[in-house]
Amino acid sequence: MHLSSLEHVERLVAKYLSAKTAMQIIDIGSYDVNGSYKRFFSQPDWHYVGVDLAVGPNVDIALSSPYRLPLKSHSVDVIVSGQAFEHIEFFWLTWLEMVRVLKPGGLIFLLAPSRGYEHRHPQDCWRFYPDSYHALAKYGGLTLLEVQTDWEPHADTDSADWGDTVGVFQQQANMSWLTRMRRIAMQHVRYWAMPGYRT
């Protein structure tokens, strides 16, 4: 986990989250290889859950598929995911699952590389720019509150080769019952019809 990524999440937590508000937080891609975001979500009323594909440090839920989250629809206040989407072959399927479990008014902090050398865990498929996040917001029906890309190298030597695109997305706060039911129904259709979900 490079320093610039940690700094980005620290800033987002300070800007968007209140320590006085109880929150359910999940971290997708949480396996601690060389650092994690967990330290930033340590408030007493915050419940942090690490989610990844393998059992290991900082993983509370090990998934059988990156395209299915074993969580109820509209049950999570905050989703953070960093340095994970480039490794997910069909990241748009994971994205729809993230949108499904996010509560009305909930937030997604998404960090994904805009540049950097190939690092296959077990594959390295994608790089992201601001327009990518605008497209994800449209695809998921979310509001993109902010997006920025690290165009210039970070001063830290271990971070200099890496640039991230960082975005904050928000689920609509006043989601109608019909919209909720439609999303849940579409989830079941995707699980049944789309090859990626059956992996």
Side-chain angles (χ1 to χ4, degrees), residues 1-6 29-40 52 56-59 82-83 86-87 117 119 121 156 158-159 162:
M1 183 74 68
H2 44 281
L3 177 62
S4 58
S5 181
L6 296 170
S30 65
Y31 194 107
D32 187 346
V33 177
N34 55 0
S36 80
Y37 301 132
K38 185 174 184 177
R39 73 183 86 165
F40 304 122
D52 213 310
N58 201 43
V59 177
Q83 282 62 61
E86 71 270 28
H87 301 298
Y117 54 82
H119 56 300
H121 297 288
D156 178 67
D158 292 334
S159 298
W162 294 98

Side-chain angles (χ1 to χ4, degrees), residues 18-68:
S18 169
K20 298 178 181 179
T21 303
M23 284 183 281
Q24 179 77 17
I25 299 159
I26 63 170
D27 181 351
I28 297 179
S30 65
Y31 194 107
D32 187 346
V33 177
N34 55 0
S36 80
Y37 301 132
K38 185 174 184 177
R39 73 183 86 165
F40 304 122
F41 300 98
S42 59
Q43 296 296 333
D45 291 331
W46 296 359
H47 181 59
Y48 170 97
V49 176
V51 179
D52 213 310
L53 287 171
V55 175
N58 201 43
V59 177
D60 302 298
I61 298 175
L63 303 175
S64 58
S65 165
Y67 313 119
R68 291 187 181 224

Side-chain angles (χ1 to χ4, degrees), residues 98-120:
M98 292 164 66
V99 171
R100 177 185 66 80
V101 303
L102 190 64
K103 286 183 181 180
L107 298 172
I108 297 175
F109 298 161
L110 182 64
L111 299 87
S114 56
R115 68 173 189 274
Y117 54 82
E118 184 181 35
H119 56 300
R120 304 181 72 233

